Amino acid sequence: MTDRLPRSVIEPKNPKLNVSRNANLPHSPGIRVGDYIFLSGMGPVDPVTGRRNLGPIAEQIRQTLRNMAHMLESAGSGSTASSK
Amino acid sequence: MTLFRQVIEPGNPAVDPSRKFNLPLSPAVRGGDFVFLSAMAAIDPATGERAHGTMAAETRQILTNMGALLEAVGSSLANVVKVNVLIYSMLEYENMNAVYREFFPTDPPARTVCGVKLIGGHKVEIECVALA
């Protein structure tokens, strides 16, 4: 294939949520390619302290999805555009 | 316009577990601009047998085979956009990462790592989505 869609890295606007960079892990927070955005697995990181927000599962899910929304908004998308 | 769907056979049939172990999967399927790979375990490309070893050795074997499979369809590891890594114990997370980062030195793909129970005595399986 010569005419591939462009592939670019997505970073969260809030650097405290940039787990892969802060912990020097070998993945990107997200990859954008054409009309699609691929996000790495995310956990309940506190956007103020950057530490894991350990708590009841409901709280962890809420925090993770908030962080996911932040990632998508950082890429110019939104949680209503998720398909998987 | 309807996107097309095409099953991809690996250049080296020895690394095709769907034939070797008679499994109901395709090693890779192309859909539109993307190619979706099934999870790969460490297979010796010369014999087709399971290549059991350390987390580092199995990770290296899988990513080597994955690179070859992607290149056989005109893609490459540099065109991977998302990876799922399944490992038998999260205690080995860093042992997997140490080898993994050699294969994706710059702008690595998005990735999810899960600790799971794996079949066949393997320590790790890796799947990915790449630009075709």
Side-chain angles (χ1 to χ4, degrees):
Chain A
M1 281 286 287
T2 48
D3 51 348
R4 280 196 188 94
L5 297 170
R7 173 190 186 281
S8 58
V9 172
I10 293 164
E11 310 278 353
K13 283 181 182 157
N14 179 353
K16 295 279 190 194
L17 293 178
N18 205 330
V19 175
S20 58
R21 305 300 178 222
N22 296 339
N24 188 27
L25 293 170
H27 67 267
S28 298
I31 296 285
R32 174 164 200 160
V33 57
D35 294 330
Y36 297 91
I37 288 167
F38 297 85
L39 296 186
S40 289
M42 301 179 69
V45 174
D46 186 307
V48 178
T49 65
R51 289 201 213 122
R52 287 195 183 92
N53 181 5
L54 303 176
I57 191 166
E59 212 174 284
Q60 293 199 21
I61 290 168
R62 203 167 271 126
Q63 184 65 69
T64 303
L65 291 175
R66 268 196 226 109
N67 294 352
M68 183 171 283
H70 175 79
M71 270 300 298
L72 293 172
E73 282 155 16
S74 297
S77 183
S79 52
T80 54
S82 298
S83 59
K84 182 182 178 227
Chain B
M1 189 187 85
T2 306
L3 296 174
F4 70 97
R5 175 188 185 282
Q6 179 192 3
V7 169
I8 290 163
E9 301 291 342
N12 176 3
V15 296
D16 183 350
S18 62
R19 288 191 192 168
K20 177 89 179 166
F21 302 108
N22 188 27
L23 296 172
L25 61 89
S26 298
V29 174
R30 177 154 178 200
D33 295 320
F34 295 97
V35 54
F36 300 81
L37 267 58
S38 291
M40 299 174 73
I43 299 290
D44 182 333
T47 64
E49 298 298 330
R50 300 183 195 279
H52 294 131
T54 60
M55 177 61 82
E58 291 196 15
T59 302
R60 188 177 303 283
Q61 185 65 72
I62 293 167
L63 292 175
T64 302
N65 293 352
M66 183 175 282
L69 175 52
L70 288 170
E71 279 164 27
V73 301
S75 184
S76 68
L77 287 176
N79 285 295
V80 175
V81 295
K82 177 72 211 284
V83 176
N84 288 327
V85 182
L86 313 174
I87 57 180
Y88 79 108
S89 167
M90 289 305 269
L91 294 174
E92 294 244 43
Y93 182 60
E94 289 304 335
N95 296 333
M96 179 276 294
N97 273 338
V99 174
Y100 184 94
R101 72 173 71 239
E102 292 175 24
F103 286 82
F104 298 102
T106 53
D107 288 352
R111 188 186 74 170
T112 304
V113 182
C114 298
V116 301
K117 297 210 184 295
L118 293 172
I119 198 167
H122 290 292
K123 293 189 171 73
V124 51
E125 289 195 16
I126 305 176
E127 62 169 67
C128 76
V129 180
L131 280 165

